[in-house]
C-alpha cells in the first residue's frame, strides 16, 4: 500500500509514489557492517605465558578480503577475494627492530622489512601521522597487520581508526587499536620475548554510524590520526 513506510538503509520513506521510492532506493548506499566494538587479542609467549588484551578493530577491517588478510594485489580478480567476512590475524607480533630500546616507533617512517616466511604484525604508537599512513608503512614493509597503541589512558579514549581523507576500502592490512596501558605492557613483554604469537578475530560486527553518535554499541570515537 502507498501508506506503508519503507525502510531503506536506515532512511524511513513513507507516502511516496512508486517511482519516487525506486529513485530513493537507488540513492541509498548498501548497508555495510563494521568490526566489533571490542576484539580479544590473544597472545602466547615462547615460555607459555599468555595474556588477552582488548583491541578496537580499525573501521577499514571489514573491507579486507581473504578473511582479513592483506589484499593479493590490485590486479587480483574478485573471484579470488572473499569480501565482507570476519577480519582476523594469526601470527607473530613484533616492534620495529630498528627502534632502539626505550624508544617507540610511530610507524610514520619506512619500517624495517618483515620476515617474508611468516605472518607478522607490527606494534606502533599513535601520533604524528594518520592511521592510514601507519597501515601503509606496515604493508610496504611486508607486515600482515598493524597494532596501534594509544597515548591517552583508558579504553574509553581508544579511537575508531579510519583512513580519512582516503577511502577505508583502499587500506591494505587489518589494524587494531590498543589502550595505552595494554600497549605499554605488550611493549615491555616484547623487550625480552621475541616469539609472541597473536590471534584475533573481529566478532560480532556493528553497523556504520555517524561521528560521535551513540547506540547500543556505545559512542563512536572516530579519528584519522
Amino acid at each position: 500500500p502507498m501508506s506503508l513506510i519503507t525502510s531503506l538503509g536506515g532512511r524511513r520513506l513513507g507516502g511516496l509514489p512508486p517511482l519516487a521510492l525506486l529513485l530513493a532506493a537507488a540513492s541509498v548506499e548498501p548497508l555495510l557492517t563494521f568490526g566489533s566494538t571490542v576484539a580479544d587479542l590473544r597472545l602466547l609467549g615462547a615460555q607459555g605465558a599468555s595474556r588477552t588484551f582488548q583491541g578496537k578493530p580499525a573501521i577499514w577491517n571489514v573491507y579486507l578480503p581473504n578473511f582479513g588478510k592483506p589484499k593479493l594485489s590490485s590486479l587480483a580478480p574478485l573471484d579470488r577475494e572473499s569480501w565482507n567476512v570476519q577480519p582476523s590475524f594469526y601470527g607473530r607480533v613484533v616492534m620495529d627492530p630498528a627502534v632502539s630500546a626505550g624508544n617507540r616507533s610511530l610507524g610514520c617512517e619506512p619500517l624495517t622489512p618483515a620476515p617474508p616466511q611468516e605472518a607478522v604484525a607490527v606494534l606502533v604508537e599513535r601520533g604524528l601521522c594518520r592511521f592510514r599512513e601507519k597501515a601503509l608503512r606496515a604493508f610496504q614493509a611486508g607486515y600482515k597487520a598493524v597494532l596501534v597503541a594509544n597515548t591517552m589512558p583508558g579504553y574509553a579514549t581508544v579511537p575508531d581508526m579510519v583512513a580519512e581523507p582516503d577511502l577505508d576500502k583502499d587500506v591494505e592490512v587489518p589494524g587494531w587499536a590498543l589502550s595505552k596501558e595494554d600497549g605499554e605492557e605488550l611493549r615491555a613483554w616484547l623487550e625480552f620475548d621475541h616469539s609472541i604469537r597473536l590471534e584475533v578475530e573481529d566478532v560480532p560486527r556493528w553497523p556504520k554510524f555517524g561521528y560521535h553518535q551513540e547506540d547500543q554499541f556505545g559512542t563512536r570515537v572516530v579519528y584519522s590520526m
Side-chain angles (χ1 to χ4, degrees), residues 56 156-161 206 211-213 219-223:
K56 183 176 285 189
T157 66
V158 175
D160 296 312
M161 298 192 297
W206 45 315
Y211 178 71
H212 275 295
Q213 288 184 298
T219 303
R220 303 296 189 266
V221 188
V222 181
Y223 293 97

Side-chain angles (χ1 to χ4, degrees), residues 139-210:
F139 173 71
Q140 290 173 334
Y143 294 97
K144 307 303 184 186
V146 60
L147 304 181
V148 180
N150 198 15
T151 53
M152 294 182 288
Y155 190 82
T157 66
V158 175
D160 296 312
M161 298 192 297
V162 297
E164 293 177 355
D166 298 328
L167 298 177
D168 288 312
K169 68 181 181 65
D170 290 338
V171 181
E172 300 86 357
V173 294
W176 288 269
L178 303 175
S179 69
K180 180 177 185 289
E181 295 81 2
D182 286 347
E184 290 176 346
E185 184 176 348
L186 177 56
R187 192 176 293 108
W189 190 9
L190 286 166
E191 290 283 353
F192 64 87
D193 189 341
H194 306 295
S195 298
I196 299 175
R197 303 202 69 81
L198 166 66
E199 183 176 3
V200 56
E201 181 176 316
D202 292 357
V203 286
R205 297 182 180 172
W206 45 315
K208 184 177 181 180
F209 219 58

Side-chain angles (χ1 to χ4, degrees), residues 41-53 185 189 197:
L41 278 66
R42 298 177 292 277
L43 297 132
L44 179 65
Q47 305 301 319
S50 63
R51 295 175 187 140
T52 299
F53 296 145
E185 184 176 348
W189 190 9
R197 303 202 69 81

